[in-house]
Amino acid sequence: MSEPDAITATEITEAEAAALDFTAPYFHGQYPIVVKGLKTSFGEHVIHENLNLTVKRGEIIGVVGGSGTGKSVLMRAIIGLQIPDAGSIEALGMSITDARDDEDIDIRSRWGVLFQGGALFSTLTVAENVEVPLKQFFPEIGDALRHEIARFKVMLSGLPEEAAAKYPAELSGGMRKRAGLARALALDPELLFLDEPTAGLDPIGAAAFDRLTKELQETLGLTVFLITHDLDTLYEICDRVAVLADKRVIAVGTIPELLATDHPWIQEYFNGPRGRAAKSSQERGRAAKSSQERAAVRNAGVDKSADRGA
Amino acid sequence: MRDWADFTSEELDGGAVRIAFSGPLTVSTIGIADNRLRAIEAAVTEVDLSQISDIDTVGAWTVWRLARDHDAVITGTNDKADRLIAALKGASGTADIHPRRQAFMRRVPENIGSLVTSWGHGMVGITGFLGALIITIGDVIRQPSRLRTTAIIRQLELVGISALGIVGLMSFLVGIVIAQQGAVQLAQFGAEMLTINLTGRISMRELGVLMTAIMVAGRSGSAFAAQIGTMKLTEEVDAMRTIGVSPMEALVLPRIVAAVIMMPLLGFYAALMAIVGGATISAFTLGIPFMTFLTRIQEVVPIHDVWVGLVKAPFFGLIIAMTGCYQGMQVKANAEEVGLKTTMAVVQAIFMVIVLDAFFAVFFSEVGWG
């Protein structure tokens, strides 16, 4: 294995690789995503009007909103797949709205995107999927290292080792999401976009995916832009939540801060039966944890919140 | 200019080596240094990270792998490096990247075997489909109110009316080619006038219907397979069944009826257009006036030639619609299969049409319509 690699090493010299250079320096600013005055529309149908959103570095921001409020469209606009009618978008300190296609490619190596259905390339195995961005952006990486990277990314995403050589069609929905996450993480991005990562997963799988997201965010120091309908995800892992309604972001903040506002949609969203269930399950989780720490009356803590009728 | 990851190796006592990394150790910078690291043959006892400016999982992996392979200690780590290396320790594997392929000597016979069995299954499947179709036709005959008139009319339009333009143009051009090429050859015997016989008889007997069948297979057969296949994928067909609507009645029968009705009409129209094409080119290059050509056609083309074409056409329509619908119904897994089955529908339909045409050619000459 190592012999052909030694040959590739001589094939690409440093000078040649420098010509391929499109890596910008690591982003050290406060706000990796800044959206100002965004307007997007499909024909007559206006999706966003004067939308503003600022994401802090190192946080997990949850984006919520009713169906059709343009959560995915907002994500597509930020990653440059949807050209807005007006407004400016900055990601990692670079303007997406002003950049031309070939210019903003250098930012693309610094974010990872998990699409709703996983969007894995169906003719490639999971590991080959992970290798695609590596090959695309860093051709100087030898085959041996690239295979190793693909393997550990697959395992970091919580997939069993054997999944690496499987085709997406052979995986379950939850495993496909994890495989999509492995590809999104292939380039060690600073920014991670997740579009409804827990949709369609069973509650156990969804909770495991939440934990994985949080762990990876802490280990790798990611900023995560997370679109979700899952109230448990919001309570468990999101630092802040942005609420999309009336064609713009009507509020951004922690859940208690949002609850303090009197917008009817927010109240209905978090105080509806599902919102209350998610909240009490989070409290129950916390209660169980703290009682474990005190090594006492664990059962009392669980029973009490169970009485509250979750 | 990219700031590459770099390292220096320092010889310690006893041939051992100490590697000191510098610069950023990230996915974007590690590629070249990694190739050099793999070439190190001496035993590495210490890996020093105190000079690095940045590290990510790929950098941490490279460091950890080096330490693991050489059984070396890692020194000078910062918090981030520690955290990443700890996370990676649990994630090292040796799994295959590519799916395992069987050996060539085994793969080839296996593929041939599965091809042969799939032919067998295909025969059984299409026979079953034909049976289901006949039962459905029987049901509809007993209860004519179950016939989906609207769906049939819609399919008649799609299969027939909207094909008029392309079928007409194609036949017109084919007529030109036959007349022109025929005239060149027949002129050698001084028999240009036989061009009329040639064009008229071949259009009516064979080409009109055959070319139409190929066009309908390409236009409508493929559409049937793709529509029904997509409906299978989106579980629309299953939904129909649960509601009590028979897919054979609602989807398959209207398409087959439409194709069977439209094929003779389109085939006859195509033959006429081919004759018009031949007459046009003859008027220009052979000096046979347009109207003379048409009058002469009436004299030289026996009426049974028209019947030969018209009798074959409904069978071709049946075959095209049946393969289209059958292949559509076979779609099970994914979008790729829709494409695959659509291709198969068209290829099989055209192939079977030509086989059947050969059969009819022998049959009609035996019954004296030669």
Side-chain angles (χ1 to χ4, degrees):
Chain A
M1 281 298 266
S2 64
E3 293 218 346
D5 298 330
I7 295 163
T8 35
T10 52
E11 273 172 3
I12 300 172
T13 64
E14 289 203 21
E16 278 167 350
L20 296 168
D21 188 9
F22 33 66
T23 44
Y26 189 80
F27 179 71
H28 290 288
Q30 262 301 345
Y31 304 108
I33 302 175
V34 180
V35 180
K36 278 187 196 145
L38 180 73
K39 182 185 178 191
T40 47
S41 58
F42 293 111
E44 295 287 290
H45 185 55
V46 178
I47 311 279
H48 302 133
E49 183 102 65
N50 196 21
L51 181 148
N52 298 303
L53 177 67
T54 311
V55 178
K56 292 181 193 161
R57 190 150 68 98
E59 74 173 346
I60 299 184
I61 188 160
V63 177
V64 301
S67 298
T69 49
K71 301 182 294 293
S72 297
V73 177
L74 174 61
M75 184 185 97
R76 290 172 62 86
I78 296 173
I79 59 184
L81 293 175
Q82 173 84 41
I83 296 165
D85 300 342
S88 73
I89 298 171
E90 250 179 48
L92 300 169
M94 294 199 233
S95 173
I96 302 292
T97 33
D98 296 342
R100 284 199 301 273
D101 256 5
D102 42 351
E103 276 175 359
D104 67 21
I105 196 162
D106 54 349
I107 316 181
R108 284 189 189 161
S109 71
R110 295 166 62 201
W111 66 44
V113 184
L114 171 62
F115 287 97
Q116 230 174 69
L120 293 162
F121 304 122
S122 58
T123 51
L124 302 178
T125 64
V126 170
E128 285 166 346
N129 262 285
V130 178
E131 288 184 356
V132 170
L134 289 166
K135 274 189 198 163
Q136 174 69 28
F137 286 103
F138 306 117
E140 79 278 1
I141 292 180
D143 286 353
L145 179 62
R146 205 177 55 241
H147 293 336
E148 284 169 9
I149 295 173
R151 268 186 217 114
F152 81 70
K153 296 280 176 184
V154 167
M155 293 178 74
L156 271 186
S157 310
L159 285 170
E161 208 181 330
E162 314 82 71
K166 286 197 173 139
Y167 286 100
E170 300 171 309
L171 302 177
S172 69
M175 289 170 89
R176 229 172 288 167
K177 293 248 158 119
R178 284 167 188 268
L181 184 64
R183 190 180 65 186
L185 291 173
L187 297 175
D188 272 89
E190 296 156 53
L191 246 179
L192 184 62
F193 293 90
L194 304 176
D195 191 354
E196 300 202 19
T198 54
L201 299 188
D202 66 275
I204 300 170
F209 201 96
D210 284 348
R211 273 200 304 280
L212 176 71
T213 312
K214 185 75 185 162
E215 267 171 37
L216 289 170
Q217 187 257 340
E218 282 169 357
T219 318
L220 309 176
L222 302 168
T223 306
V224 182
F225 181 96
L226 189 151
I227 296 174
T228 191
H229 280 303
D230 191 334
L231 285 149
D232 289 311
T233 308
L234 293 177
Y235 274 104
E236 287 301 325
I237 66 170
C238 289
D239 298 309
R240 291 196 306 159
V241 175
V243 182
L244 244 78
D246 310 331
K247 299 175 187 171
R248 59 200 179 85
V249 175
I250 53 167
V252 191
T254 60
I255 294 174
E257 281 168 15
L258 291 180
L259 285 169
T261 64
D262 53 2
H263 192 280
W265 193 85
I266 298 177
Q267 289 299 328
E268 199 182 338
Y269 190 83
F270 289 102
N271 285 330
R274 283 157 181 274
R276 284 202 307 275
K279 184 162 186 269
S280 69
S281 96
Q282 185 213 22
E283 281 166 0
R284 196 164 57 221
R286 295 242 167 101
K289 237 183 251 169
S290 61
S291 61
Q292 258 175 347
E293 280 160 13
R294 276 182 266 123
V297 286
R298 186 197 312 181
N299 290 335
V302 175
D303 286 344
K304 210 158 95 187
S305 43
D307 284 345
R308 254 177 259 156
Chain B
M1 178 64 210
R2 208 178 328 180
D3 197 6
W4 292 98
D6 202 5
F7 65 87
T8 54
S9 56
E10 179 190 339
E11 291 243 359
L12 301 175
D13 307 335
V17 171
R18 176 176 181 274
I19 302 279
F21 281 101
S22 59
L25 292 189
T26 63
V27 62
S28 57
T29 61
I30 200 82
I32 290 171
D34 178 71
N35 287 316
R36 278 168 56 211
L37 282 174
R38 282 170 199 274
I40 293 177
E41 281 173 8
V44 179
T45 54
E46 191 186 336
V47 183
D48 181 50
L49 297 184
S50 53
Q51 301 301 315
I52 61 168
S53 58
D54 193 12
I55 190 163
D56 70 359
T57 60
V58 176
W61 170 266
T62 311
V63 170
W64 184 71
R65 191 204 58 222
L66 183 72
R68 180 193 64 184
D69 292 351
H70 290 271
D71 208 11
V73 283
I74 303 170
T75 57
T77 54
N78 53 22
D79 278 359
K80 196 176 177 190
D82 279 337
R83 203 171 62 221
L84 291 175
I85 291 171
L88 288 174
K89 273 182 187 166
S92 64
T94 53
D96 294 321
I97 299 292
H98 312 288
R100 269 176 207 274
R101 293 178 83 188
Q102 299 281 7
F104 180 77
M105 289 308 288
R106 173 133 184 226
R107 207 166 65 232
V108 171
E110 256 183 23
N111 285 352
I112 293 174
S114 64
L115 191 67
V116 172
T117 43
S118 75
W119 281 341
H121 290 305
M123 291 304 287
V124 174
I126 198 131
T127 314
F129 190 76
L130 185 65
L133 181 67
I134 291 169
I135 292 172
T136 311
I137 293 173
D139 286 349
V140 172
I141 288 173
R142 270 184 287 142
Q143 276 178 284
S145 60
R146 278 164 70 178
L147 193 68
R148 314 227 158 202
T149 343
T150 327
I152 292 178
I153 289 169
R154 170 86 184 127
Q155 290 301 329
L156 285 174
E157 185 193 340
L158 286 176
V159 176
I161 313 297
S162 38
L164 283 177
I166 187 70
V167 168
L169 179 64
M170 177 186 68
S171 307
F172 184 81
L173 295 174
V174 168
I176 288 180
V177 172
I178 295 168
Q180 208 272 329
Q181 293 296 314
V184 171
Q185 298 302 320
L186 292 169
Q188 295 175 14
F189 311 102
E192 288 103 324
M193 282 309 279
L194 286 179
T195 306
I196 302 169
N197 302 39
L198 177 73
T199 313
R201 294 202 66 180
I202 203 169
S203 304
M204 277 300 176
R205 284 182 77 97
E206 292 293 337
L207 279 180
V209 174
L210 200 60
M211 296 300 287
T212 308
I214 291 171
M215 187 52 88
V216 170
R219 275 184 89 254
S220 304
S222 60
F224 294 168
Q227 283 165 358
I228 296 180
T230 314
M231 289 179 80
K232 280 277 282 189
L233 274 193
T234 53
E235 298 180 320
E236 278 177 70
V237 175
D238 295 336
M240 274 185 181
R241 283 211 180 92
T242 55
I243 298 169
V245 178
S246 149
M248 284 305 267
E249 232 174 83
L251 296 177
V252 177
L253 195 62
R255 287 174 167 77
I256 287 178
V257 169
V260 169
I261 293 178
M262 272 305 170
M263 261 306 295
L265 301 181
L266 277 178
F268 186 69
Y269 160 76
L272 292 188
M273 288 305 284
I275 290 170
V276 171
T280 310
I281 196 72
S282 301
F284 282 113
T285 61
L286 303 179
I288 305 171
F290 191 84
M291 288 318 289
T292 316
F293 192 102
L294 294 189
T295 333
R296 190 82 188 116
I297 286 278
Q298 290 181 338
E299 293 158 19
V300 298
V301 178
I303 193 67
H304 64 68
D305 277 5
V306 179
W307 289 121
V308 167
L310 288 181
V311 166
K312 289 194 289 193
F315 291 95
F316 291 176
L318 178 71
I319 283 181
I320 292 166
M322 249 183 63
T323 28
C325 295
Y326 172 72
Q327 294 295 348
M329 284 291 192
Q330 297 309 302
V331 171
K332 282 185 188 75
N334 51 29
E336 198 186 342
E337 215 175 340
V338 176
L340 217 65
K341 297 290 179 196
T342 307
T343 312
M344 268 171 79
V346 176
V347 172
Q348 283 183 357
I350 292 176
F351 176 74
M352 280 162 64
V353 159
I354 289 173
V355 170
L356 197 68
D357 191 50
F359 170 79
F360 271 123
V362 177
F363 172 78
F364 284 127
S365 59
E366 285 296 312
V367 297
W369 279 2

